Amino acid sequence: MTEVARLVRLTTSHDPAPGDLNGETLCDADLAILATAPDTYQGYAAAVREEYAFVPDDAFREGRAAVLRHLLDSPACS
């Protein structure tokens, strides 16, 4: 149970330690949507927006952009 909780928390940063096979595998799987066809990603993005419908549009756009910038800035994307 401790490992599952750790892996769930890891999805907030997507920054597993080098050699953390479980963490690296989970992060790869969690971010696989970014490598899909544009129409598939658009459907995913629409579902995320629906999940966060309570967040005002401006705040959502800022937050989503920050998440994507963080992923782009991560060492694995360099």
Short mmCIF file of all heavy atoms in Angstrom, two decimals:
data_model
loop_
_atom_site.label_atom_id
_atom_site.label_comp_id
_atom_site.label_asym_id
_atom_site.label_seq_id
_atom_site.Cartn_x
_atom_site.Cartn_y
_atom_site.Cartn_z
N MET A 1 0.83 -1.19 0.00
CA MET A 1 0.00 0.00 0.00
C MET A 1 0.87 1.26 0.00
O MET A 1 0.53 2.24 -0.63
CB MET A 1 -0.93 -0.04 1.21
CG MET A 1 -1.92 1.06 1.22
SD MET A 1 -3.09 0.85 -0.10
CE MET A 1 -4.45 1.68 0.54
N THR A 2 1.97 1.25 0.70
CA THR A 2 2.87 2.39 0.75
C THR A 2 3.42 2.72 -0.63
O THR A 2 3.50 3.88 -1.02
CB THR A 2 4.03 2.11 1.73
OG1 THR A 2 3.49 1.84 3.00
CG2 THR A 2 4.97 3.30 1.82
N GLU A 3 3.77 1.69 -1.40
CA GLU A 3 4.30 1.90 -2.75
C GLU A 3 3.24 2.50 -3.66
O GLU A 3 3.53 3.41 -4.45
CB GLU A 3 4.83 0.58 -3.33
CG GLU A 3 5.33 0.68 -4.76
CD GLU A 3 6.59 1.53 -4.94
OE1 GLU A 3 7.03 2.22 -3.99
OE2 GLU A 3 7.15 1.50 -6.04
N VAL A 4 2.02 2.05 -3.55
CA VAL A 4 0.94 2.60 -4.38
C VAL A 4 0.74 4.08 -4.06
O VAL A 4 0.63 4.91 -4.96
CB VAL A 4 -0.37 1.81 -4.17
CG1 VAL A 4 -1.54 2.49 -4.87
CG2 VAL A 4 -0.21 0.38 -4.67
N ALA A 5 0.73 4.41 -2.79
CA ALA A 5 0.56 5.80 -2.38
C ALA A 5 1.72 6.66 -2.91
O ALA A 5 1.51 7.77 -3.40
CB ALA A 5 0.47 5.91 -0.87
N ARG A 6 2.92 6.14 -2.84
CA ARG A 6 4.09 6.88 -3.35
C ARG A 6 3.96 7.12 -4.85
O ARG A 6 4.21 8.22 -5.34
CB ARG A 6 5.37 6.09 -3.07
CG ARG A 6 6.64 6.80 -3.55
CD ARG A 6 7.87 5.92 -3.39
NE ARG A 6 7.96 4.88 -4.39
CZ ARG A 6 8.45 5.06 -5.63
NH1 ARG A 6 8.87 6.25 -6.02
NH2 ARG A 6 8.50 4.05 -6.48
N LEU A 7 3.53 6.11 -5.58
CA LEU A 7 3.40 6.25 -7.02
C LEU A 7 2.29 7.24 -7.39
O LEU A 7 2.45 8.03 -8.32
CB LEU A 7 3.15 4.88 -7.66
CG LEU A 7 4.35 3.94 -7.61
CD1 LEU A 7 3.95 2.54 -8.04
CD2 LEU A 7 5.51 4.47 -8.42
N VAL A 8 1.20 7.21 -6.67
CA VAL A 8 0.12 8.19 -6.92
C VAL A 8 0.65 9.60 -6.69
O VAL A 8 0.42 10.50 -7.51
CB VAL A 8 -1.11 7.89 -6.05
CG1 VAL A 8 -2.11 9.04 -6.11
CG2 VAL A 8 -1.77 6.59 -6.48
N ARG A 9 1.38 9.81 -5.62
CA ARG A 9 1.95 11.14 -5.35
C ARG A 9 2.94 11.54 -6.44
O ARG A 9 3.05 12.72 -6.79
CB ARG A 9 2.62 11.18 -3.97
CG ARG A 9 1.63 11.21 -2.82
CD ARG A 9 2.32 11.50 -1.48
NE ARG A 9 3.35 10.53 -1.16
CZ ARG A 9 3.15 9.37 -0.53
NH1 ARG A 9 1.94 9.02 -0.17
NH2 ARG A 9 4.16 8.56 -0.27
N LEU A 10 3.64 10.59 -7.00
CA LEU A 10 4.63 10.88 -8.04
C LEU A 10 3.99 11.47 -9.29
O LEU A 10 4.62 12.20 -10.04
CB LEU A 10 5.40 9.60 -8.38
CG LEU A 10 6.58 9.71 -9.33
CD1 LEU A 10 7.61 10.72 -8.82
CD2 LEU A 10 7.22 8.35 -9.51
N THR A 11 2.72 11.18 -9.51
CA THR A 11 2.05 11.72 -10.71
C THR A 11 1.84 13.23 -10.62
O THR A 11 1.49 13.85 -11.62
CB THR A 11 0.71 11.02 -10.99
OG1 THR A 11 -0.19 11.28 -9.93
CG2 THR A 11 0.89 9.53 -11.21
N THR A 12 2.08 13.82 -9.48
CA THR A 12 1.97 15.28 -9.39
C THR A 12 3.20 15.98 -9.94
O THR A 12 3.12 17.09 -10.44
CB THR A 12 1.72 15.76 -7.95
OG1 THR A 12 2.83 15.39 -7.13
CG2 THR A 12 0.43 15.17 -7.39
N SER A 13 4.36 15.32 -9.87
CA SER A 13 5.59 15.95 -10.35
C SER A 13 6.15 15.28 -11.61
O SER A 13 6.88 15.90 -12.37
CB SER A 13 6.67 15.89 -9.26
OG SER A 13 7.07 14.54 -9.03
N HIS A 14 5.82 14.02 -11.80
CA HIS A 14 6.38 13.23 -12.91
C HIS A 14 7.91 13.34 -12.93
O HIS A 14 8.51 13.55 -13.98
CB HIS A 14 5.78 13.67 -14.26
CG HIS A 14 4.33 13.36 -14.36
ND1 HIS A 14 3.38 14.32 -14.16
CD2 HIS A 14 3.68 12.21 -14.63
CE1 HIS A 14 2.19 13.77 -14.30
NE2 HIS A 14 2.34 12.49 -14.59
N ASP A 15 8.51 13.21 -11.76
CA ASP A 15 9.96 13.34 -11.65
C ASP A 15 10.53 12.20 -10.79
O ASP A 15 10.99 12.43 -9.67
CB ASP A 15 10.29 14.71 -11.04
CG ASP A 15 11.78 15.01 -11.08
OD1 ASP A 15 12.50 14.40 -11.90
OD2 ASP A 15 12.22 15.86 -10.29
N PRO A 16 10.50 10.98 -11.32
CA PRO A 16 11.03 9.87 -10.53
C PRO A 16 12.55 9.96 -10.41
O PRO A 16 13.22 10.54 -11.26
CB PRO A 16 10.63 8.63 -11.35
CG PRO A 16 10.54 9.14 -12.74
CD PRO A 16 10.05 10.56 -12.64
N ALA A 17 13.06 9.40 -9.35
CA ALA A 17 14.52 9.35 -9.15
C ALA A 17 15.12 8.43 -10.21
O ALA A 17 14.49 7.45 -10.63
CB ALA A 17 14.83 8.84 -7.76
N PRO A 18 16.35 8.72 -10.62
CA PRO A 18 17.02 7.82 -11.56
C PRO A 18 17.06 6.39 -11.01
O PRO A 18 17.37 6.19 -9.82
CB PRO A 18 18.44 8.40 -11.67
CG PRO A 18 18.28 9.84 -11.30
CD PRO A 18 17.18 9.87 -10.26
N GLY A 19 16.69 5.45 -11.84
CA GLY A 19 16.69 4.06 -11.41
C GLY A 19 15.42 3.60 -10.71
O GLY A 19 15.29 2.44 -10.34
N ASP A 20 14.46 4.50 -10.53
CA ASP A 20 13.18 4.15 -9.91
C ASP A 20 12.29 3.54 -11.00
O ASP A 20 11.51 4.23 -11.64
CB ASP A 20 12.53 5.40 -9.30
CG ASP A 20 11.15 5.14 -8.72
OD1 ASP A 20 10.68 3.98 -8.72
OD2 ASP A 20 10.51 6.12 -8.27
N LEU A 21 12.46 2.26 -11.23
CA LEU A 21 11.78 1.59 -12.34
C LEU A 21 10.26 1.72 -12.24
O LEU A 21 9.60 2.02 -13.24
CB LEU A 21 12.19 0.12 -12.41
CG LEU A 21 11.63 -0.66 -13.60
CD1 LEU A 21 12.05 -0.03 -14.92
CD2 LEU A 21 12.07 -2.10 -13.54
N ASN A 22 9.71 1.52 -11.05
CA ASN A 22 8.26 1.66 -10.90
C ASN A 22 7.82 3.08 -11.21
O ASN A 22 6.83 3.30 -11.92
CB ASN A 22 7.82 1.28 -9.48
CG ASN A 22 7.89 -0.20 -9.23
OD1 ASN A 22 7.95 -1.01 -10.16
ND2 ASN A 22 7.89 -0.58 -7.96
N GLY A 23 8.53 4.05 -10.67
CA GLY A 23 8.18 5.45 -10.90
C GLY A 23 8.34 5.86 -12.35
O GLY A 23 7.49 6.56 -12.92
N GLU A 24 9.43 5.43 -12.97
CA GLU A 24 9.67 5.76 -14.37
C GLU A 24 8.60 5.14 -15.27
O GLU A 24 8.09 5.79 -16.19
CB GLU A 24 11.06 5.28 -14.80
CG GLU A 24 12.18 6.07 -14.15
CD GLU A 24 13.55 5.46 -14.36
OE1 GLU A 24 13.64 4.26 -14.74
OE2 GLU A 24 14.54 6.17 -14.15
N THR A 25 8.24 3.91 -14.99
CA THR A 25 7.22 3.22 -15.79
C THR A 25 5.87 3.90 -15.65
O THR A 25 5.17 4.14 -16.63
CB THR A 25 7.13 1.74 -15.39
OG1 THR A 25 8.41 1.14 -15.57
CG2 THR A 25 6.10 1.00 -16.20
N LEU A 26 5.50 4.23 -14.40
CA LEU A 26 4.22 4.89 -14.18
C LEU A 26 4.19 6.25 -14.85
O LEU A 26 3.19 6.60 -15.51
CB LEU A 26 3.95 5.05 -12.68
CG LEU A 26 2.65 5.80 -12.38
CD1 LEU A 26 1.44 4.98 -12.82
CD2 LEU A 26 2.55 6.16 -10.92
N CYS A 27 5.24 7.03 -14.73
CA CYS A 27 5.26 8.35 -15.35
C CYS A 27 5.18 8.25 -16.87
O CYS A 27 4.46 9.03 -17.51
CB CYS A 27 6.50 9.13 -14.91
SG CYS A 27 6.40 9.68 -13.19
N ASP A 28 5.90 7.29 -17.45
CA ASP A 28 5.80 7.08 -18.90
C ASP A 28 4.37 6.77 -19.30
O ASP A 28 3.85 7.31 -20.28
CB ASP A 28 6.72 5.96 -19.35
CG ASP A 28 8.18 6.37 -19.43
OD1 ASP A 28 8.47 7.58 -19.30
OD2 ASP A 28 9.02 5.48 -19.62
N ALA A 29 3.73 5.88 -18.57
CA ALA A 29 2.35 5.50 -18.89
C ALA A 29 1.40 6.69 -18.70
O ALA A 29 0.52 6.93 -19.53
CB ALA A 29 1.91 4.33 -18.01
N ASP A 30 1.59 7.44 -17.63
CA ASP A 30 0.72 8.57 -17.33
C ASP A 30 0.84 9.66 -18.38
O ASP A 30 -0.14 10.35 -18.69
CB ASP A 30 1.04 9.11 -15.94
CG ASP A 30 -0.05 10.02 -15.40
OD1 ASP A 30 -1.24 9.70 -15.59
OD2 ASP A 30 0.30 11.05 -14.81
N LEU A 31 2.02 9.83 -18.95
CA LEU A 31 2.25 10.90 -19.93
C LEU A 31 2.14 10.43 -21.38
O LEU A 31 2.32 11.22 -22.30
CB LEU A 31 3.62 11.54 -19.68
CG LEU A 31 3.78 12.22 -18.33
CD1 LEU A 31 5.20 12.71 -18.14
CD2 LEU A 31 2.78 13.35 -18.17
N ALA A 32 1.82 9.17 -21.59
CA ALA A 32 1.73 8.63 -22.95
C ALA A 32 0.71 9.38 -23.80
O ALA A 32 0.86 9.45 -25.02
CB ALA A 32 1.39 7.14 -22.90
N ILE A 33 -0.28 9.99 -23.19
CA ILE A 33 -1.29 10.74 -23.94
C ILE A 33 -0.65 11.85 -24.76
O ILE A 33 -1.14 12.22 -25.82
CB ILE A 33 -2.38 11.31 -22.99
CG1 ILE A 33 -3.54 11.90 -23.78
CG2 ILE A 33 -1.80 12.36 -22.04
CD1 ILE A 33 -4.33 10.88 -24.56
N LEU A 34 0.49 12.37 -24.30
CA LEU A 34 1.15 13.47 -25.01
C LEU A 34 1.74 13.01 -26.35
O LEU A 34 2.06 13.85 -27.19
CB LEU A 34 2.23 14.08 -24.13
CG LEU A 34 1.73 14.71 -22.83
CD1 LEU A 34 2.91 15.15 -21.97
CD2 LEU A 34 0.79 15.86 -23.10
N ALA A 35 1.87 11.72 -26.54
CA ALA A 35 2.45 11.19 -27.78
C ALA A 35 1.39 10.64 -28.72
O ALA A 35 1.72 9.99 -29.70
CB ALA A 35 3.46 10.10 -27.44
N THR A 36 0.13 10.90 -28.43
CA THR A 36 -0.95 10.38 -29.27
C THR A 36 -1.28 11.35 -30.39
O THR A 36 -0.77 12.48 -30.43
CB THR A 36 -2.21 10.11 -28.44
OG1 THR A 36 -2.66 11.33 -27.84
CG2 THR A 36 -1.95 9.08 -27.35
N ALA A 37 -2.14 10.91 -31.27
CA ALA A 37 -2.61 11.76 -32.38
C ALA A 37 -3.33 12.99 -31.83
O ALA A 37 -3.92 12.93 -30.74
CB ALA A 37 -3.55 10.96 -33.27
N PRO A 38 -3.28 14.10 -32.55
CA PRO A 38 -3.91 15.34 -32.07
C PRO A 38 -5.38 15.18 -31.67
O PRO A 38 -5.79 15.72 -30.64
CB PRO A 38 -3.75 16.30 -33.24
CG PRO A 38 -2.51 15.84 -33.93
CD PRO A 38 -2.56 14.33 -33.81
N ASP A 39 -6.16 14.44 -32.44
CA ASP A 39 -7.58 14.30 -32.09
C ASP A 39 -7.76 13.50 -30.80
O ASP A 39 -8.66 13.77 -30.01
CB ASP A 39 -8.39 13.70 -33.24
CG ASP A 39 -7.91 12.33 -33.67
OD1 ASP A 39 -6.71 12.03 -33.54
OD2 ASP A 39 -8.75 11.53 -34.14
N THR A 40 -6.89 12.54 -30.56
CA THR A 40 -6.93 11.78 -29.30
C THR A 40 -6.59 12.69 -28.13
O THR A 40 -7.27 12.68 -27.10
CB THR A 40 -5.96 10.59 -29.36
OG1 THR A 40 -6.31 9.76 -30.47
CG2 THR A 40 -5.99 9.78 -28.08
N TYR A 41 -5.54 13.50 -28.30
CA TYR A 41 -5.15 14.42 -27.23
C TYR A 41 -6.26 15.45 -26.98
O TYR A 41 -6.54 15.79 -25.83
CB TYR A 41 -3.84 15.14 -27.54
CG TYR A 41 -3.48 16.09 -26.43
CD1 TYR A 41 -2.94 15.61 -25.24
CD2 TYR A 41 -3.74 17.45 -26.54
CE1 TYR A 41 -2.65 16.47 -24.19
CE2 TYR A 41 -3.46 18.32 -25.49
CZ TYR A 41 -2.93 17.82 -24.33
OH TYR A 41 -2.66 18.66 -23.28
N GLN A 42 -6.89 15.93 -28.03
CA GLN A 42 -7.97 16.91 -27.87
C GLN A 42 -9.11 16.33 -27.03
O GLN A 42 -9.69 17.03 -26.19
CB GLN A 42 -8.47 17.39 -29.22
CG GLN A 42 -7.50 18.32 -29.91
CD GLN A 42 -7.93 18.69 -31.32
OE1 GLN A 42 -8.86 18.11 -31.87
NE2 GLN A 42 -7.22 19.63 -31.91
N GLY A 43 -9.43 15.07 -27.26
CA GLY A 43 -10.46 14.42 -26.45
C GLY A 43 -10.06 14.32 -24.99
O GLY A 43 -10.86 14.56 -24.09
N TYR A 44 -8.79 13.99 -24.76
CA TYR A 44 -8.26 13.93 -23.40
C TYR A 44 -8.33 15.31 -22.75
O TYR A 44 -8.78 15.45 -21.61
CB TYR A 44 -6.82 13.42 -23.44
CG TYR A 44 -6.05 13.68 -22.17
CD1 TYR A 44 -6.19 12.86 -21.06
CD2 TYR A 44 -5.17 14.76 -22.08
CE1 TYR A 44 -5.48 13.11 -19.89
CE2 TYR A 44 -4.46 15.01 -20.93
CZ TYR A 44 -4.62 14.18 -19.84
OH TYR A 44 -3.93 14.43 -18.69
N ALA A 45 -7.87 16.32 -23.48
CA ALA A 45 -7.87 17.68 -22.93
C ALA A 45 -9.28 18.14 -22.59
O ALA A 45 -9.51 18.80 -21.57
CB ALA A 45 -7.19 18.64 -23.90
N ALA A 46 -10.24 17.79 -23.43
CA ALA A 46 -11.64 18.15 -23.16
C ALA A 46 -12.13 17.44 -21.89
O ALA A 46 -12.86 18.05 -21.09
CB ALA A 46 -12.51 17.78 -24.35
N ALA A 47 -11.72 16.20 -21.69
CA ALA A 47 -12.13 15.47 -20.49
C ALA A 47 -11.50 16.09 -19.24
O ALA A 47 -12.15 16.19 -18.19
CB ALA A 47 -11.75 13.99 -20.61
N VAL A 48 -10.24 16.53 -19.34
CA VAL A 48 -9.59 17.19 -18.22
C VAL A 48 -10.33 18.48 -17.90
O VAL A 48 -10.59 18.79 -16.73
CB VAL A 48 -8.10 17.46 -18.52
CG1 VAL A 48 -7.48 18.37 -17.46
CG2 VAL A 48 -7.33 16.16 -18.62
N ARG A 49 -10.68 19.23 -18.93
CA ARG A 49 -11.39 20.49 -18.70
C ARG A 49 -12.72 20.23 -18.01
O ARG A 49 -13.12 20.97 -17.10
CB ARG A 49 -11.61 21.24 -20.02
CG ARG A 49 -12.30 22.59 -19.83
CD ARG A 49 -11.43 23.50 -18.98
NE ARG A 49 -12.06 24.73 -18.61
CZ ARG A 49 -12.36 25.07 -17.35
NH1 ARG A 49 -12.09 24.25 -16.35
NH2 ARG A 49 -12.90 26.24 -17.08
N GLU A 50 -13.41 19.19 -18.44
CA GLU A 50 -14.69 18.83 -17.83
C GLU A 50 -14.50 18.46 -16.36
O GLU A 50 -15.30 18.85 -15.50
CB GLU A 50 -15.33 17.67 -18.60
CG GLU A 50 -16.71 17.32 -18.11
CD GLU A 50 -17.35 16.23 -18.94
OE1 GLU A 50 -17.07 16.15 -20.15
OE2 GLU A 50 -18.12 15.45 -18.35
N GLU A 51 -13.43 17.73 -16.07
CA GLU A 51 -13.15 17.34 -14.68
C GLU A 51 -12.92 18.57 -13.80
O GLU A 51 -13.25 18.56 -12.62
CB GLU A 51 -11.92 16.44 -14.65
CG GLU A 51 -11.55 15.93 -13.28
CD GLU A 51 -10.33 15.02 -13.28
OE1 GLU A 51 -9.84 14.64 -14.36
OE2 GLU A 51 -9.86 14.69 -12.17
N TYR A 52 -12.34 19.61 -14.38
CA TYR A 52 -12.06 20.83 -13.63
C TYR A 52 -13.00 21.96 -14.02
O TYR A 52 -12.62 23.12 -14.02
CB TYR A 52 -10.59 21.24 -13.86
CG TYR A 52 -9.63 20.32 -13.15
CD1 TYR A 52 -9.12 19.20 -13.80
CD2 TYR A 52 -9.27 20.54 -11.84
CE1 TYR A 52 -8.25 18.32 -13.16
CE2 TYR A 52 -8.41 19.68 -11.18
CZ TYR A 52 -7.91 18.58 -11.84
OH TYR A 52 -7.06 17.72 -11.19
N ALA A 53 -14.25 21.61 -14.33
CA ALA A 53 -15.24 22.61 -14.75
C ALA A 53 -15.48 23.68 -13.70
O ALA A 53 -15.87 24.81 -14.03
CB ALA A 53 -16.55 21.91 -15.11
N PHE A 54 -15.21 23.38 -12.45
CA PHE A 54 -15.41 24.34 -11.37
C PHE A 54 -14.36 25.45 -11.37
O PHE A 54 -14.51 26.46 -10.69
CB PHE A 54 -15.42 23.62 -10.01
CG PHE A 54 -14.13 22.92 -9.70
CD1 PHE A 54 -13.13 23.57 -8.99
CD2 PHE A 54 -13.91 21.61 -10.12
CE1 PHE A 54 -11.93 22.92 -8.70
CE2 PHE A 54 -12.72 20.96 -9.84
CZ PHE A 54 -11.73 21.61 -9.13
N VAL A 55 -13.28 25.27 -12.14
CA VAL A 55 -12.21 26.26 -12.20
C VAL A 55 -12.53 27.26 -13.32
O VAL A 55 -12.82 26.84 -14.44
CB VAL A 55 -10.85 25.58 -12.47
CG1 VAL A 55 -9.74 26.60 -12.60
CG2 VAL A 55 -10.53 24.58 -11.37
N PRO A 56 -12.47 28.55 -13.04
CA PRO A 56 -12.73 29.55 -14.09
C PRO A 56 -11.77 29.38 -15.27
O PRO A 56 -10.62 28.95 -15.11
CB PRO A 56 -12.50 30.89 -13.38
CG PRO A 56 -12.66 30.60 -11.92
CD PRO A 56 -12.20 29.18 -11.74
N ASP A 57 -12.25 29.73 -16.47
CA ASP A 57 -11.47 29.52 -17.70
C ASP A 57 -10.06 30.10 -17.63
O ASP A 57 -9.10 29.43 -18.01
CB ASP A 57 -12.21 30.10 -18.91
CG ASP A 57 -13.41 29.26 -19.31
OD1 ASP A 57 -13.46 28.06 -18.96
OD2 ASP A 57 -14.31 29.80 -19.98
N ASP A 58 -9.93 31.35 -17.21
CA ASP A 58 -8.60 31.98 -17.17
C ASP A 58 -7.65 31.22 -16.24
O ASP A 58 -6.49 30.97 -16.59
CB ASP A 58 -8.69 33.44 -16.72
CG ASP A 58 -9.30 34.34 -17.78
OD1 ASP A 58 -9.38 33.91 -18.96
OD2 ASP A 58 -9.69 35.46 -17.44
N ALA A 59 -8.14 30.86 -15.08
CA ALA A 59 -7.31 30.13 -14.11
C ALA A 59 -6.96 28.74 -14.65
O ALA A 59 -5.83 28.27 -14.48
CB ALA A 59 -8.02 30.02 -12.77
N PHE A 60 -7.91 28.11 -15.32
CA PHE A 60 -7.63 26.79 -15.89
C PHE A 60 -6.55 26.88 -16.96
O PHE A 60 -5.61 26.09 -16.97
CB PHE A 60 -8.89 26.15 -16.47
CG PHE A 60 -8.63 24.80 -17.05
CD1 PHE A 60 -8.57 23.68 -16.24
CD2 PHE A 60 -8.41 24.64 -18.41
CE1 PHE A 60 -8.31 22.43 -16.76
CE2 PHE A 60 -8.14 23.39 -18.95
CZ PHE A 60 -8.09 22.28 -18.13
N ARG A 61 -6.67 27.84 -17.86
CA ARG A 61 -5.66 27.99 -18.92
C ARG A 61 -4.29 28.25 -18.34
O ARG A 61 -3.30 27.67 -18.78
CB ARG A 61 -6.07 29.12 -19.88
CG ARG A 61 -7.10 28.70 -20.90
CD ARG A 61 -7.27 29.73 -21.98
NE ARG A 61 -7.78 30.99 -21.48
CZ ARG A 61 -9.07 31.28 -21.35
NH1 ARG A 61 -9.98 30.39 -21.68
NH2 ARG A 61 -9.45 32.44 -20.88
N GLU A 62 -4.21 29.11 -17.33
CA GLU A 62 -2.92 29.39 -16.68
C GLU A 62 -2.35 28.14 -16.03
O GLU A 62 -1.16 27.84 -16.16
CB GLU A 62 -3.09 30.48 -15.61
CG GLU A 62 -3.18 31.87 -16.16
CD GLU A 62 -3.28 32.90 -15.04
OE1 GLU A 62 -2.65 32.71 -13.98
OE2 GLU A 62 -4.00 33.89 -15.24
N GLY A 63 -3.18 27.41 -15.32
CA GLY A 63 -2.73 26.20 -14.64
C GLY A 63 -2.31 25.12 -15.61
O GLY A 63 -1.29 24.46 -15.43
N ARG A 64 -3.10 24.93 -16.67
CA ARG A 64 -2.76 23.90 -17.65
C ARG A 64 -1.46 24.25 -18.37
O ARG A 64 -0.61 23.38 -18.58
CB ARG A 64 -3.91 23.77 -18.66
CG ARG A 64 -3.77 22.61 -19.59
CD ARG A 64 -3.99 21.31 -18.85
NE ARG A 64 -3.69 20.20 -19.76
CZ ARG A 64 -3.17 19.07 -19.40
NH1 ARG A 64 -2.91 18.84 -18.13
NH2 ARG A 64 -2.92 18.14 -20.26
N ALA A 65 -1.29 25.52 -18.72
CA ALA A 65 -0.04 25.96 -19.36
C ALA A 65 1.14 25.74 -18.43
O ALA A 65 2.22 25.31 -18.87
CB ALA A 65 -0.15 27.42 -19.79
N ALA A 66 0.97 26.01 -17.15
CA ALA A 66 2.06 25.80 -16.18
C ALA A 66 2.44 24.33 -16.10
O ALA A 66 3.63 23.99 -16.04
CB ALA A 66 1.66 26.33 -14.81
N VAL A 67 1.46 23.44 -16.11
CA VAL A 67 1.73 22.00 -16.06
C VAL A 67 2.53 21.59 -17.30
O VAL A 67 3.54 20.89 -17.20
CB VAL A 67 0.41 21.20 -15.98
CG1 VAL A 67 0.64 19.73 -16.27
CG2 VAL A 67 -0.24 21.38 -14.62
N LEU A 68 2.09 22.03 -18.47
CA LEU A 68 2.78 21.65 -19.70
C LEU A 68 4.19 22.25 -19.77
O LEU A 68 5.12 21.58 -20.21
CB LEU A 68 1.94 22.05 -20.91
CG LEU A 68 0.61 21.30 -21.03
CD1 LEU A 68 -0.24 21.88 -22.16
CD2 LEU A 68 0.82 19.81 -21.20
N ARG A 69 4.35 23.50 -19.29
CA ARG A 69 5.69 24.10 -19.25
C ARG A 69 6.61 23.30 -18.32
O ARG A 69 7.77 23.06 -18.63
CB ARG A 69 5.62 25.56 -18.80
CG ARG A 69 5.36 26.53 -19.93
CD ARG A 69 5.61 27.97 -19.49
NE ARG A 69 4.79 28.37 -18.36
CZ ARG A 69 3.55 28.81 -18.44
NH1 ARG A 69 2.96 28.94 -19.60
NH2 ARG A 69 2.89 29.17 -17.37
N HIS A 70 6.07 22.89 -17.18
CA HIS A 70 6.86 22.09 -16.23
C HIS A 70 7.34 20.81 -16.89
O HIS A 70 8.51 20.42 -16.75
CB HIS A 70 6.02 21.77 -14.99
CG HIS A 70 6.63 20.72 -14.11
ND1 HIS A 70 7.70 20.97 -13.28
CD2 HIS A 70 6.33 19.41 -13.95
CE1 HIS A 70 8.02 19.86 -12.64
NE2 HIS A 70 7.21 18.90 -13.04
N LEU A 71 6.46 20.15 -17.63
CA LEU A 71 6.85 18.91 -18.30
C LEU A 71 7.90 19.17 -19.37
O LEU A 71 8.86 18.41 -19.50
CB LEU A 71 5.61 18.23 -18.91
CG LEU A 71 4.60 17.69 -17.91
CD1 LEU A 71 3.35 17.24 -18.63
CD2 LEU A 71 5.20 16.57 -17.08
N LEU A 72 7.74 20.25 -20.12
CA LEU A 72 8.72 20.58 -21.15
C LEU A 72 10.09 20.93 -20.57
O LEU A 72 11.13 20.66 -21.18
CB LEU A 72 8.23 21.74 -22.01
CG LEU A 72 7.15 21.39 -23.02
CD1 LEU A 72 6.60 22.66 -23.66
CD2 LEU A 72 7.69 20.46 -24.09
N ASP A 73 10.07 21.53 -19.40
CA ASP A 73 11.32 21.95 -18.74
C ASP A 73 12.02 20.82 -17.99
O ASP A 73 13.15 20.99 -17.54
CB ASP A 73 11.06 23.10 -17.78
CG ASP A 73 10.69 24.39 -18.48
OD1 ASP A 73 10.96 24.51 -19.71
OD2 ASP A 73 10.12 25.28 -17.83
N SER A 74 11.36 19.67 -17.87
CA SER A 74 11.96 18.58 -17.10
C SER A 74 13.15 18.00 -17.86
O SER A 74 13.17 18.02 -19.09
CB SER A 74 10.93 17.50 -16.80
OG SER A 74 10.59 16.81 -17.98
N PRO A 75 14.13 17.50 -17.15
CA PRO A 75 15.35 16.97 -17.79
C PRO A 75 15.06 15.88 -18.81
O PRO A 75 15.75 15.79 -19.82
CB PRO A 75 16.17 16.42 -16.63
CG PRO A 75 15.64 17.11 -15.42
CD PRO A 75 14.20 17.42 -15.71
N ALA A 76 14.04 15.07 -18.59
CA ALA A 76 13.75 13.98 -19.53
C ALA A 76 13.30 14.51 -20.88
O ALA A 76 13.39 13.81 -21.87
CB ALA A 76 12.68 13.07 -18.94
N CYS A 77 12.81 15.74 -20.92
CA CYS A 77 12.35 16.32 -22.18
C CYS A 77 13.42 17.14 -22.87
O CYS A 77 13.21 17.65 -23.96
CB CYS A 77 11.12 17.21 -21.93
SG CYS A 77 9.67 16.27 -21.45
N SER A 78 14.55 17.29 -22.24
CA SER A 78 15.61 18.12 -22.82
C SER A 78 16.38 17.37 -23.88
O SER A 78 16.43 16.19 -23.93
CB SER A 78 16.57 18.57 -21.72
OG SER A 78 15.87 19.34 -20.78
#
